Amino acid sequence: MQPRGLSSSKRAGADDVVGLVAFWLDIDVDDKSKPAAIRDAVARICSRFDDAYWLERERTGTFPEDFAAEIAKGGFYGVTMEEQYGGSGLGITEASLVMQEIGRYGAAASSAVHINIFGLQPVVGFGTDEQKARMLPPLIRGEHRSCFGVTEPDAGLDTTHISTFARRREDGGYVVNGRKVWTSTAQRADHILLVTRTTPIEDCKKPTDGMTLFYTDVDRDKIAITPIDKMGRNAVNSNAIFIDGLVIPEEDRIGEEGKGFKLLLDSLNPERILAAATGLGMADFLVDKAVNYAKERKVFKDRPIGAYQGISHPLADIKAQIEAARLMTYKAAWLFDQDEHPGVIGSQANMAKYLAAEVAIKACDQAIETLGGYGFSEEYGVIYFWEAARLLRTAPITKEMILNYIAEHVLGLPRTY
């Protein structure tokens, strides 16, 4: 199979692990896809939005429209999309670099843009030429705002048991009824990537059969969107949505009817990888913040607190865990770009997300411990990351479900759920 993104084929030695190492070390790589160049370009945008900006959006529950617009202007929504549609023609590896840098600015920054970066992977991988030409350019330019309609109140992470149903109409197209929950950015979205059933699960040979994927307009006459009150990440809304008689034209169906679950994996696996990259960015920021404070803060014999092993050893331990999680994250991204088997990608993507989420939480906790009371002050910007890091353990997939997956699909143990 051909690699998904142009990045993989441009890299020297991309058919083995040497290709990944070469990429990470900036060796023999096309200029525009060098890690340092990508990180620096994203950092230049992010640095214009300081702690006060993000704190104000959290307090007021205001979506960071101007930040999202600048990310679009920089071309980063199209990092994995083909150049003929206005994208960069790169891969999830490069998208991970983008999200890693944005992750240094917290959950609101990453959640504001990540759906536009990974959400339309099924269109990138399986859409028709007409669909790509119609759907991708306005998303890349930031003119379309999308949301991800997957999770349901009664199904949760058991996606095969969703009940939202798309019934084929005699005069063409489909009519959809159902509900979704925890749909981020739906308040502002004009398009939705929607997962439905077109065949009841009891009539399917396998639970993954009979699911169909659409990318279509958010018709607010047929979709009621209700915000969910929550603590944390208030700058990016989460919603319950109720769909009643939504008509979707045939041309908005992605791929074959009933084959949507396989296509959905082209969003779910990148979502886990990009979530991991976001966690790495958070952890990097928090360790940097703690280390800088530990070098400057002096107590007892006028020595910096970083000279004491009670401070230095936990930070060193977390740094080692960050680098291990980073290698797993970029291994998963590289495998996705090489178009490896979904099961192989899924194993690596889940492990990456697990490791990165856990180390982000540890980094935040240790940063608070290092700064003491200042860890809770707005001035130092550490406590703001606690909710973001803790959320990462739960979403987009819980720690427990990842361990279930690894036990079954990697270790070969019996299914437990």
Side-chain angles (χ1 to χ4, degrees):
M1 290 183 285
Q2 293 296 314
R4 296 166 192 264
L6 297 181
S7 60
S8 297
S9 58
K10 285 183 177 180
R11 258 176 246 145
D15 57 344
D16 54 29
V17 177
V18 175
L20 177 59
V21 175
F23 171 75
W24 187 248
L25 296 178
D26 285 348
I27 300 171
D28 193 20
V29 182
D30 185 282
D31 283 345
K32 73 174 180 178
S33 63
K34 281 189 176 182
I38 293 172
R39 289 195 299 267
D40 290 349
V42 178
R44 282 193 294 272
I45 295 173
C46 292
S47 64
R48 300 203 293 270
F49 301 87
D50 59 14
D51 290 347
Y53 172 87
W54 293 110
L55 183 61
E56 190 273 337
R57 264 116 193 110
E58 278 295 299
R59 284 176 169 171
T60 61
T62 304
F63 189 88
E65 297 280 0
D66 40 358
F67 172 76
E70 286 300 310
I71 293 295
K73 185 177 177 181
F76 294 109
Y77 285 157
V79 65
T80 67
M81 300 175 192
E82 294 159 90
E83 292 177 285
Q84 68 188 91
Y85 303 116
S88 299
L90 300 173
I92 291 298
T93 307
E94 289 81 5
S96 297
L97 289 167
V98 173
M99 292 309 302
Q100 180 180 311
E101 189 60 36
I102 293 175
R104 296 180 64 90
Y105 294 80
S110 55
S111 296
V113 301
H114 80 298
I115 179 61
N116 276 21
I117 292 176
F118 82 85
L120 260 65
Q121 280 302 127
V123 177
V124 174
F126 302 99
T128 65
D129 290 342
E130 184 278 329
Q131 287 175 329
K132 291 180 182 181
R134 174 164 54 92
M135 297 173 177
L136 298 183
L139 184 84
I140 293 169
R141 294 192 297 265
E143 297 166 2
H144 284 181
R145 303 170 175 181
S146 60
C147 62
F148 203 34
V150 180
T151 306
E152 296 189 2
D154 297 328
L157 292 171
D158 188 3
T159 305
T160 59
H161 282 78
I162 61 171
S163 57
T164 298
F165 202 88
R167 178 178 55 82
R168 184 177 282 277
R169 303 196 314 167
E170 292 183 2
D171 56 349
Y174 300 81
V175 60
V176 179
N177 293 282
R179 55 182 180 160
K180 301 290 181 180
V181 73
W182 295 112
T183 307
S184 296
T185 71
Q187 290 287 329
R188 63 185 292 280
D190 45 42
H191 284 75
I192 183 170
L193 188 75
L194 184 64
V195 184
T196 73
R197 279 213 158 271
T198 42
T199 303
I201 190 169
E202 57 269 21
D203 295 337
C204 297
K205 291 182 179 180
K206 297 187 299 183
T208 54
D209 291 342
M211 299 175 66
T212 302
L213 193 62
F214 300 92
Y215 183 67
T216 194
D217 294 341
V218 174
D219 181 352
R220 294 176 187 272
D221 291 333
K222 303 297 182 181
I223 302 177
I225 302 172
T226 305
I228 298 172
D229 293 330
K230 60 186 192 298
M231 298 290 288
R233 208 195 65 162
N234 289 314
V236 177
N237 54 77
S238 300
N239 305 274
I241 67 174
F242 300 86
I243 306 170
D244 184 13
L246 175 67
V247 176
I248 300 180
E250 185 105 14
E251 55 265 29
D252 286 355
R253 189 190 73 219
I254 309 302
E256 295 181 50
E257 181 179 309
K259 304 296 184 181
F261 187 81
K262 180 181 182 296
L263 277 59
L264 182 62
L265 293 178
D266 254 43
S267 279
L268 296 185
N269 284 327
E271 183 182 30
R272 285 152 175 66
I273 296 167
L274 297 183
T278 300
L280 293 175
M282 292 181 190
D284 284 336
F285 168 84
L286 291 161
V287 168
D288 288 348
K289 181 73 75 171
V291 167
N292 290 335
Y293 184 84
K295 290 177 179 177
E296 297 172 358
R297 173 72 165 138
K298 295 180 179 180
V299 296
F300 305 117
K301 300 175 182 178
D302 200 32
R303 299 180 67 194
I305 62 174
Y308 298 99
Q309 292 174 355
I311 297 293
S312 64
H313 281 190
L315 291 173
D317 177 63
I318 290 167
K319 177 61 175 176
Q321 293 181 53
I322 290 172
E323 295 310 317
R326 199 185 321 274
L327 286 172
M328 180 58 75
T329 299
Y330 285 93
K331 178 182 178 182
W334 181 78
L335 286 169
F336 185 90
D337 289 338
Q338 295 301 304
D339 207 9
E340 288 289 342
H341 187 278
V344 175
I345 300 167
S347 298
Q348 310 301 317
N350 276 294
M351 286 190 279
K353 191 270 183 185
Y354 172 80
L355 294 172
E358 294 304 301
V359 78
I361 292 173
K362 290 179 181 178
C364 191
D365 189 56
Q366 191 56 42
I368 293 170
E369 287 293 296
T370 302
L371 273 68
Y374 289 112
F376 295 88
S377 71
E378 293 179 354
E379 176 187 356
Y380 284 83
V382 169
I383 193 63
Y384 169 70
F385 280 80
W386 178 252
E387 293 163 344
R390 184 57 187 84
L391 174 64
L392 196 60
R393 179 187 278 174
T394 300
I397 183 172
T398 65
K399 167 185 174 180
E400 291 75 17
M401 287 303 294
I402 288 178
L403 293 176
N404 282 335
Y405 186 97
I406 294 170
E408 179 184 355
H409 296 280
V410 179
L411 300 179
L413 295 171
R415 186 183 179 97
T416 59
Y417 59 98

